[in-house]
Amino acid sequence: MVIMINQVILTKKLRIISTLLTSIRSGKNLCHESYEMRAIFINAAKDLRVSDCEEERMMPSQVRVKISHGGICGSDLHYFNHGKVGFSKLREPMILGHEVSGFVSDVGEDVGGLAIGDLVAINPAKTCGQCHFCKENRSNQCSSMQFFGSALLFPHIQGAFREEVVVDANQCFKFRASNPGVAALVEPLSVVLHAIRKSGNVNGRRVLISGAGPIGLITAALCIFYGAESVSIMDIETYPLSLAQKLGVQNTFDMRNNSSELENYAAGEGNFDLFFECSGAEQALISGMNVLNPGSKIIQLGIAAEFCLPVIQLTAKEYELIGSWRFSGEFSQAVNLLEAGEIDLTPLISHEIPFWDAEKAFLTASNRKEAMKVQLCF
Ligand SMILES: [Zn+2]
Ligand SMILES: [Zn+2]
């Protein structure tokens, strides 16, 4: 027994020495290095901690990835600020994070096509591939979905804001461009590509978007990319609207200070024919419904638990209200678009903050007056 304990201590000491040597070689700040693997846990609303987490065992079909970048998503912020998102409520400590990229550090013996050192974008959705949703290419509805950093199930599915994660090889997509920050944008881009697919076609449409956060702005960028006739966006903050203008959005509506500007678009039968609701705010959906042409499609991307709606408008104007949830096959499409440089989303990355300063990163990301996509660096 004594010998065993000594071995454990010895192993830990060796790890400390090896971490220190790696740190010295990579020039990292030693003050924040420790030998355990650290992760960002949310315990309850406003209770965020960087703590040690257990090293995971790797199966032959899996790879170990040293996380490089992690984007803070609206859902991570909901857990941080309110302890819940939609109907998913925190019931135990959970590691946050699902928008991550990293470098492969170990490869299981059954894995092909990936090698140590590869930069990968990690698909946070682990699906079964067997249920009828998976077989119909609707894996976002997989009946045994395990999505990183989600409190929908209990025990919660732990997320990827940690120094190292073990994942199935088929969740790793080699990213051939060299920018790990861009690779961490694959997930939110996939969410938007899915919404665009649900909309049918954006080409030639007059598009309205509510919520100029990362998802709203990626939607704007993609609608411009895919040939929308015009793209307009509404928000209640000026900073995100100014970013939207830089991305080439034609009309920006400041709904806090000048909501009548959008209301003017209700003239005639309405002036927009496709509406992406990306804010999760009831009032945004209602404001948008007032300025749409009869027969318009409304894609609900913003996450909220309950809305009270003027349903008569859906009926009388024959709107189609369509939900859009995560993504399925769009992940590889997003990898291709970003690694080929066909679409540039880097203007959306407003901050890069070291993960050990998680509290600061989450507070920064919560401030919509000056932050867009905040990425954690590991
Ligand atoms: Zn996300
Ligand atoms: Zn399935």
Side-chain angles (χ1 to χ4, degrees):
M1 194 59 186
V2 172
I3 292 168
M4 274 178 65
I5 290 168
N6 281 341
Q7 273 179 343
V8 170
I9 292 170
L10 186 65
T11 316
K12 285 200 168 182
K13 278 186 177 167
L14 284 173
R15 281 190 66 185
I16 299 170
I17 293 164
S18 122
T19 308
L20 285 173
L21 285 174
T22 319
S23 304
I24 290 161
R25 262 184 256 126
S26 64
K28 272 194 187 171
N29 186 347
L30 292 183
C31 311
H32 300 285
E33 288 293 337
S34 77
Y35 56 87
E36 290 291 355
M37 209 227 320
R38 290 164 300 171
I40 301 175
F41 285 88
I42 184 84
N43 295 324
K46 307 282 181 190
D47 183 2
L48 193 71
R49 284 181 207 178
V50 178
S51 319
D52 293 339
C53 73
E54 272 175 42
E55 192 176 301
E56 299 168 288
R57 278 185 43 212
M58 188 179 82
M59 309 293 276
S61 60
Q62 294 183 311
V63 293
R64 196 178 294 279
V65 180
K66 199 177 171 328
I67 297 296
S68 170
H69 281 66
I72 298 178
C73 176
S75 60
D76 298 316
L77 289 176
H78 276 291
Y79 286 122
F80 173 66
N81 288 306
H82 314 293
K84 61 177 182 181
V85 48
F87 291 117
S88 305
K89 224 176 156 177
L90 281 172
R91 285 162 283 171
E92 63 174 342
M94 180 177 82
I95 302 175
L96 286 171
H98 57 268
E99 301 180 4
V100 292
S101 66
F103 295 92
V104 175
S105 62
D106 198 4
V107 181
E109 56 205 43
D110 295 349
V111 175
L114 286 171
I116 291 174
D118 283 348
L119 171 60
V120 290
I122 301 179
N123 182 341
K126 181 177 174 147
T127 54
C128 75
Q130 304 295 324
C131 69
H132 75 275
F133 297 108
C134 282
K135 284 182 177 157
E136 287 175 356
N137 288 327
R138 292 195 288 151
S139 62
N140 58 333
Q141 300 294 343
C142 173
S143 19
S144 24
M145 163 77 74
Q146 293 188 13
F147 198 91
F148 280 162
S150 167
L152 191 63
L153 303 175
F154 189 86
H156 301 338
I157 308 301
Q158 299 298 318
F161 284 167
R162 46 175 123 183
E163 291 177 283
E164 203 178 79
V165 70
V166 168
V167 275
D168 289 357
N170 63 15
Q171 286 177 255
C172 291
F173 290 70
K174 214 191 262 195
F175 196 78
R176 288 171 183 85
S178 59
N179 189 333
V182 173
L185 290 168
V186 167
E187 196 271 347
L189 177 59
S190 312
V191 170
V192 175
L193 284 168
H194 185 70
I196 295 224
R197 183 154 73 88
K198 300 229 82 171
S199 76
N201 192 2
V202 298
N203 188 271
R205 300 294 191 92
R206 287 169 296 172
V207 175
L208 176 65
I209 300 164
S210 56
I215 292 292
L217 291 187
I218 295 174
T219 304
L222 275 187
C223 287
I224 294 168
F225 181 71
Y226 287 125
E229 185 187 305
S230 66
V231 178
S232 305
I233 197 161
M234 60 168 122
D235 202 283
I236 53 171
E237 296 292 348
T238 51
Y239 163 73
L241 291 175
S242 68
L243 259 180
Q245 284 165 355
K246 282 185 198 150
L247 287 173
V249 170
Q250 284 95 333
N251 303 302
T252 54
F253 301 109
D254 179 343
M255 299 301 284
R256 175 169 291 158
N257 299 311
N258 192 5
S259 62
S260 61
E261 225 184 316
L262 176 67
E263 284 154 17
N264 293 336
Y265 281 75
E269 283 271 55
N271 279 280
F272 298 99
D273 39 38
L274 181 55
F275 176 29
F276 292 91
E277 202 302 289
C278 304
S279 72
E282 179 182 291
Q283 190 50 53
L285 179 53
I286 295 170
S287 299
M289 283 169 78
N290 289 331
V291 294
L292 298 177
N293 284 316
S296 291
K297 283 185 181 174
I298 303 168
I299 315 296
Q300 181 65 41
L301 275 146
I303 295 172
E306 285 169 52
F307 278 177
C308 186
L309 293 181
V311 173
I312 182 63
Q313 289 209 33
L314 280 187
T315 312
K317 292 198 172 175
E318 299 188 313
Y319 293 151
E320 291 177 55
L321 179 56
I322 301 166
S324 185
W325 181 240
R326 294 176 182 159
F327 51 85
S328 44
E330 291 86 1
F331 200 87
S332 57
Q333 191 189 350
V335 168
N336 294 338
L337 278 173
L338 286 176
E339 71 180 4
E342 285 197 64
I343 186 153
D344 179 17
L345 299 178
T346 50
L348 302 189
I349 304 173
S350 62
H351 297 77
E352 281 194 352
I353 297 177
F355 80 96
W356 44 259
D357 217 353
E359 176 101 16
K360 178 185 166 191
F362 275 73
L363 289 172
T364 303
S366 301
N367 181 0
R368 301 197 62 243
K369 290 185 198 309
E370 56 185 47
M372 186 51 60
K373 177 59 75 185
V374 175
Q375 288 191 335
L376 298 154
C377 304
F378 287 83

